[in-house]
Amino acid sequence: ILKERPQSITEQRAEIPPTIEQVVFRALEKDPDKRYQKIDELIDDLKSISAGIVPEEIRVRLRKEKLRRRRKAILYAGAAGLVILAAVLVLTFFPGPAEAIDSIAVLPFENLTGNADQEYFVDGVTDELIGQLGQISGLRRVISRTTMIRYKDAEKSLPEIAQELNVDAILEGAVYQIGENISIKLQLFDALPEERSLWTTRYDRPKTDVLVMCNEIASAIADNIRIPLTVDETSRFAGARQVNTEAYEAYLKGMLGLMRLNPEDIETGRHYLEIALEKDPDFALAHAGIANYWCLQQVMGSLPPSETTPLFRAATQRAVDLDPTLAEVQYVDAFVKWFSWDWSGAEEAFKRAIEINPNYPEARAQYSQLLAILKRPEEAIVQAQKAVELDPFNPVIAGLYGSTFSMVGRYDEGMAMAHKELRMSPNSSLGRQILWWGHHYKGEYDQAYEGAKAYFTAMGLAPIVQIMEPGYESGGYFGAMRDAAEAMASAAQGQYIQPYWLAILFAIAGENEKCLDWLEKGYEIKDPMHAYFTELELRNLVHDGPRYQELLRKMNLPMGK
């Protein structure tokens, strides 16, 4: 206790985050001046880490720990001074990692094709390589493309980027084109504590071999950073096929449209995905993309489930038939099962997607939502936190993390993540929804009213806001909610509105019977949002009531609170 360094926590329990280990070690410092001086400092660090933010002091400690382990690895290379000297000479004149690297970020590749129209293709190569690296189970963290795109043309040093993302290595690349062939120049750096080149190479292939090439690159990177591939991973990398380049480029444009999450871009995304399937009817990823489109339509409530569900299921089934080994295919299949209220089937599909690609942030974030619905809060938070670590600057992932916190009753943490999401995406409706409900649960009804107005405005429902205002003047927050619910119920007579939202509004307004009426309607039409009614926003509903319990039973959801 007085003299020896504590044994590494992460070596004993690999699932413990290194950030938490360093919080513990700071609390156990031998020198009292280096410990936390106030309990508030400790609490602040824990809250920041739980919200996906690494405090600067913990960043410094992580860098020092990484350097200490490297020095230790060199010293253990041999007991004799000559062996130590040889190890140092080898590391000096033949650069290579002193220890296995287990986290990596791929900077957006530079487009040197001479054609600005090829930007989609070059970004697609970056994305594909990130996806292939993400499937290597020995890599603890591969940062998602959504986060990495912010570093395109960024004037930051590699160590600065590595510190921000908490990764060991960074890959840079440039794509050239000569006729129908492409060439990729790559350089891999060990970025902390200082920049050091590990590997430089060049790949030249026909453009149709882009997937084959990305698999070869991922395998070579794993070899150079001493990450062994499993038998399944080796087989998967060897099984890549050629692509129709026109179909592939259309697919990339289509998925970019879907990821922007606004109606106009989503429709543009669908257009390009359909072009991809015209060029290659057996392109499994494009079928999964179309399934993703119909999944979004269901979640957003653009059309009733009777119209969207058959199309969603057909596209997903086609993707599954073509290639069930793709994580993207398992991901959309999870939602087909979720919207059918097959909870075990949905969980298995999410787990399979994560097994194929452990670094798939969307799969982990959505799986966390399912776990929260099934009232498994600890597991839900673990998955959400991992998603944020993989994609720290993706506002959707941050929003889903905040939503998971809210769903399990951790409102302050949920609201902190919502604020983080809104800093990245000021018009996010999800972030505003989390703030609205967080204030509601905390009994801060004036703030909840403002949050509700901001949410409906972000959703493009300004008329609802206008209806709420006189209700608020006469009946306060609950009067405003009641008026909003009645107005939406009236509108639902002539257009499709998801029953879930009407149930929520009536529940918040304290109109339990009307809430139950809409919940039962949602059950009848299989509203895809329906599973969320078990969230704590319905805590004012009488959970012991027979109608509510019957709904839980029919949907095979956990009973009671």
Side-chain angles (χ1 to χ4, degrees):
I1 292 173
L2 295 177
K3 297 178 181 178
E4 294 181 9
R5 177 184 175 83
Q7 185 178 350
S8 168
I9 298 171
T10 56
E11 288 177 5
Q12 298 178 68
R13 293 283 296 276
E15 70 273 20
I16 302 297
T19 48
I20 295 297
E21 178 181 60
Q22 291 307 318
V23 168
V24 174
F25 283 173
R26 185 180 177 190
L28 295 177
E29 283 284 358
K30 310 300 182 191
D31 182 350
D33 291 337
K34 295 181 179 180
R35 299 176 200 151
Y36 290 101
Q37 299 303 300
K38 297 179 181 179
I39 194 65
D40 288 346
E41 295 177 12
L42 172 61
I43 291 170
D44 285 345
D45 276 2
L46 292 173
K47 283 184 176 179
S48 295
I49 291 168
S50 74
I53 303 165
V54 181
E56 182 57 33
E57 174 66 26
I58 299 303
R59 287 184 189 275
V60 172
R61 296 182 66 90
L62 287 167
R63 292 197 292 273
K64 288 180 178 178
E65 175 64 12
K66 181 177 173 62
L67 186 58
R68 185 192 70 80
R69 290 187 179 184
R70 285 198 175 151
R71 288 171 176 161
K72 181 179 177 182
I74 293 173
L75 291 173
Y76 281 2
L82 183 60
V83 176
I84 294 172
L85 177 61
V88 172
L89 288 172
V90 167
L91 288 167
T92 302
F93 294 105
F94 303 96
E99 63 177 24
I101 287 169
D102 64 357
S103 56
I104 189 169
V106 180
L107 289 174
F109 288 171
E110 189 175 359
N111 177 15
L112 297 180
T113 65
N115 183 354
D117 291 340
Q118 290 296 303
E119 199 71 26
Y120 283 107
F121 179 79
V122 173
D123 287 345
V125 174
T126 309
D127 197 24
E128 181 65 30
L129 182 55
I130 289 172
Q132 297 301 336
L133 289 169
Q135 296 182 48
I136 299 174
S137 57
L139 281 170
R140 176 174 54 88
R141 183 186 299 114
V142 179
I143 303 299
S144 172
R145 177 184 179 276
T146 315
T147 283
M148 293 311 302
I149 201 69
R150 68 182 275 140
Y151 293 101
K152 196 167 190 173
D153 303 322
E155 295 182 1
K156 288 188 176 183
S157 69
L158 296 188
E160 285 177 315
I161 295 171
Q163 289 168 20
E164 284 186 8
L165 299 175
N166 191 24
V167 296
D168 302 319
I170 290 181
L171 183 72
E172 286 187 324
V175 179
Y176 303 78
Q177 184 168 355
I178 304 172
E180 292 302 313
N181 292 338
I182 59 170
S183 176
I184 302 180
K185 289 182 65 175
L186 298 166
Q187 190 164 12
L188 181 67
F189 295 90
D190 186 356
L192 290 175
E194 60 187 8
E195 182 180 317
R196 184 166 64 100
S197 179
L198 299 176
W199 176 62
T200 302
T201 192
R202 173 173 175 157
Y203 285 80
D204 299 281
R205 295 286 189 279
K207 204 171 181 182
T208 55
D209 283 348
V210 60
L211 299 186
V212 177
M213 183 166 51
C214 286
N215 284 10
E216 291 176 359
I217 294 170
S219 181
I221 290 171
D223 183 59
N224 275 274
I225 61 177
R226 303 179 188 176
I227 297 288
L229 299 178
T230 66
V231 173
D232 285 346
E233 289 163 358
T234 302
S235 175
R236 193 182 307 133
F237 284 147
R241 69 181 182 93
Q242 289 187 328
V243 296
N244 179 309
T245 54
E246 290 181 314
Y248 184 63
E249 289 180 28
Y251 165 75
L252 295 174
K253 292 178 181 179
M255 293 308 296
L256 181 62
L258 297 192
M259 286 189 292
R260 286 177 174 159
L261 292 179
N262 66 68
E264 184 177 343
D265 284 326
I266 288 173
E267 288 304 319
T268 301
R270 177 190 180 185
H271 169 71
Y272 280 112
L273 289 167
E274 288 174 344
I275 290 175
L277 290 175
E278 288 174 10
K279 302 293 184 182
D280 183 358
D282 293 332
F283 193 4
L285 279 174
H287 284 287
I290 289 290
N292 223 319
Y293 167 83
W294 288 115
C295 181
L296 284 171
Q297 294 300 315
Q298 290 205 295
V299 170
M300 294 168 69
S302 306
L303 295 166
S306 59
E307 296 182 32
T308 54
T309 297
L311 297 166
F312 179 34
R313 289 180 177 175
T316 301
Q317 189 58 55
R318 180 67 174 139
V320 170
D321 291 342
L322 286 167
D323 194 347
T325 68
L326 294 172
E328 294 87 347
V329 172
Q330 293 295 326
Y331 176 73
V332 291
D333 193 39
F335 281 104
V336 167
K337 293 177 169 60
W338 179 334
F339 297 165
S340 301
W341 305 328
D342 174 7
W343 313 120
S344 61
E347 180 169 11
E348 285 305 310
F350 276 131
K351 289 167 71 174
R352 177 61 180 145
I354 293 167
E355 180 185 348
I356 294 169
N357 185 349
N359 293 282
Y360 192 171
E362 290 85 357
R364 289 187 180 273
Q366 297 290 0
Y367 183 32
S368 78
Q369 297 274 289
L370 178 65
L371 290 167
I373 288 169
L374 297 178
K375 298 186 179 176
R376 291 154 59 184
E378 292 83 6
E379 296 173 73
I381 294 298
V382 167
Q383 291 296 332
Q385 184 169 13
K386 180 65 174 175
V388 168
E389 290 172 0
L390 294 170
D391 206 352
F393 298 120
N394 184 336
V396 175
I397 298 297
L400 289 171
Y401 193 10
S403 175
T404 298
F405 273 131
S406 179
M407 291 167 70
V408 302
R410 292 167 62 172
Y411 310 123
D412 287 333
E413 291 156 295
M415 294 169 77
M417 287 305 298
H419 283 298
K420 179 180 179 180
E421 182 202 8
L422 288 167
R423 286 193 294 272
M424 293 186 281
S425 179
N427 295 321
S428 166
S429 59
L430 178 55
R432 297 182 189 284
Q433 174 188 311
I434 295 165
L435 294 177
W436 167 21
W437 288 345
H439 288 303
H440 171 83
Y441 298 143
K442 296 176 69 175
E444 298 166 350
Y445 297 129
D446 288 338
Q447 295 96 316
Y449 171 66
E450 294 300 326
K453 289 201 300 181
Y455 168 74
F456 285 119
T457 300
M459 290 290 288
L461 298 172
I464 297 296
V465 176
Q466 294 172 1
I467 290 168
M468 289 168 58
E469 289 173 350
Y472 183 72
E473 291 294 328
S474 60
Y477 170 65
F478 294 102
M481 293 297 101
R482 188 173 297 106
D483 285 358
E486 295 291 357
M488 289 186 73
S490 178
Q493 303 301 314
Q495 66 184 87
Y496 175 68
I497 296 177
Q498 286 179 303
Y500 166 80
W501 289 108
L502 286 153
I504 295 303
L505 283 172
F506 278 120
I508 292 175
E511 299 277 358
N512 290 346
E513 292 304 312
K514 290 182 179 179
C515 169
L516 286 163
D517 290 342
W518 284 101
L519 286 179
E520 288 169 350
K521 182 174 178 58
Y523 171 79
E524 291 168 5
I525 69 168
K526 283 199 175 322
D527 177 1
M529 291 292 291
H530 202 60
Y532 281 94
F533 80 79
T534 61
E535 282 186 64
L536 294 180
E537 71 263 24
L538 293 176
R539 57 166 39 185
N540 61 348
L541 189 65
V542 181
H543 282 254
D544 293 330
R547 293 175 68 189
Y548 185 85
Q549 293 297 324
E550 177 63 12
L551 274 171
L552 292 176
R553 186 193 64 76
K554 288 193 293 187
M555 293 183 66
N556 197 29
L557 285 166
M559 304 293 283
K561 294 185 179 180

